[in-house]
């Protein structure tokens, strides 16, 4: 009898782990699509994965891109890599706080002379569930939290 109880408990714990992973995996696709679009300057595509009130920040970024910025982007083609390193659901599974690790991307500076290629950086990104869809919610432009300066 003790054996069956241990087996039942093990199955229950594994089941809960799969359920938790299923809950957080629903944000992977929209987060990856948004991040790939955003960090490759496809702002029109990035807007499709954002809350309406967050879109103003991407439109602001797009409106400040200069011809020099465009030339810098063209001169430094990057194969940007995105990795989701942390996800945490909160508030009844309608809010998800994430951390993404972005490798090989261009960071535009205050002016074109400050543009740079960044090897690695981590970003805190929040998603909210609205009408069944997971959308990126920002209160500003994404800023790198921890940058590896190797």
């Amino acid at each position: 009898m003790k054996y069956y109880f241990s087996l039942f408990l093990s199955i229950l714990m594994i089941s809960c782990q799969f359920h938790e992973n299923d809950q957080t995996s629903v944000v992977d696709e929209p987060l990856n699509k948004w991040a790939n679009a955003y960090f490759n300057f496809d702002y029109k595509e990035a807007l499709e994965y954002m809350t309406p009130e967050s879109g103003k920040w991407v439109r602001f970024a797009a409106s400040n891109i200069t011809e020099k910025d465009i030339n810098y982007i063209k001169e430094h083609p990057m194969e940007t890599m995105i990795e989701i390193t942390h996800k945490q659901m909160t508030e009844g599974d309608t809010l998800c706080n994430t951390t993404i690790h972005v490798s090989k991307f261009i960071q535009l500076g205050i002016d074109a002379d400050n543009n740079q290629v960044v090897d690695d950086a981590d970003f805190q990104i929040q998603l909210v569930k609205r009408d069944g869809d997971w959308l990126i919610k920002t209160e500003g432009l994404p800023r790198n939290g921890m940058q590896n300066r190797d």
Side-chain angles (χ1 to χ4, degrees):
M1 186 65 138
K2 186 177 178 182
Y3 170 78
Y4 291 114
F5 181 72
S6 294
L7 181 63
F8 173 75
L9 197 55
S10 296
I11 292 171
L12 183 62
M13 287 173 53
I14 291 170
S15 168
C16 289
Q17 284 179 328
F18 285 129
H19 178 70
E20 183 178 312
N21 290 341
D22 289 345
Q23 291 288 67
T24 60
S25 68
V26 296
V27 302
D28 289 3
E29 184 178 352
L31 180 56
N32 276 315
K33 286 183 176 182
W34 171 82
N36 277 301
Y38 180 82
F39 288 101
N40 288 295
F41 301 99
D42 187 351
Y43 292 149
K44 185 176 180 182
E45 175 79 10
L47 284 169
E48 293 182 26
Y49 300 98
M50 300 181 77
T51 63
E53 65 273 15
S54 300
K56 67 182 175 186
W57 299 107
V58 171
R59 286 189 287 280
F60 172 77
S63 71
N64 284 294
I65 292 180
T66 66
E67 193 66 37
K68 280 186 172 182
D69 293 329
I70 293 169
N71 289 336
Y72 188 89
I73 293 165
K74 286 179 180 178
E75 291 168 4
H76 297 87
M78 296 280 121
E79 187 172 334
T80 302
M81 302 296 293
I82 311 294
E83 178 187 1
I84 301 169
T85 58
H86 175 76
K87 295 180 279 189
Q88 181 181 8
M89 294 282 193
T90 59
E91 296 184 19
D93 297 336
T94 60
L95 184 67
C96 186
N97 294 310
T98 67
T99 303
I100 59 172
H101 184 78
V102 184
S103 305
K104 303 289 183 207
F105 68 98
I106 295 173
Q107 182 173 350
L108 299 179
I110 300 292
D111 60 50
D113 295 331
N114 294 325
N115 293 342
Q116 62 179 328
V117 173
V118 178
D119 289 330
D120 299 298
D122 292 318
F123 295 85
Q124 306 297 314
I125 306 296
Q126 189 174 72
L127 292 94
V128 294
K129 190 173 188 179
R130 298 224 179 126
D131 298 325
D133 294 323
W134 285 96
L135 302 172
I136 308 306
K137 180 183 178 195
T138 63
E139 296 187 16
L141 293 174
R143 295 180 15 190
N144 56 358
M146 299 168 279
Q147 189 171 342
N148 183 357
R149 299 182 189 265
D150 291 331

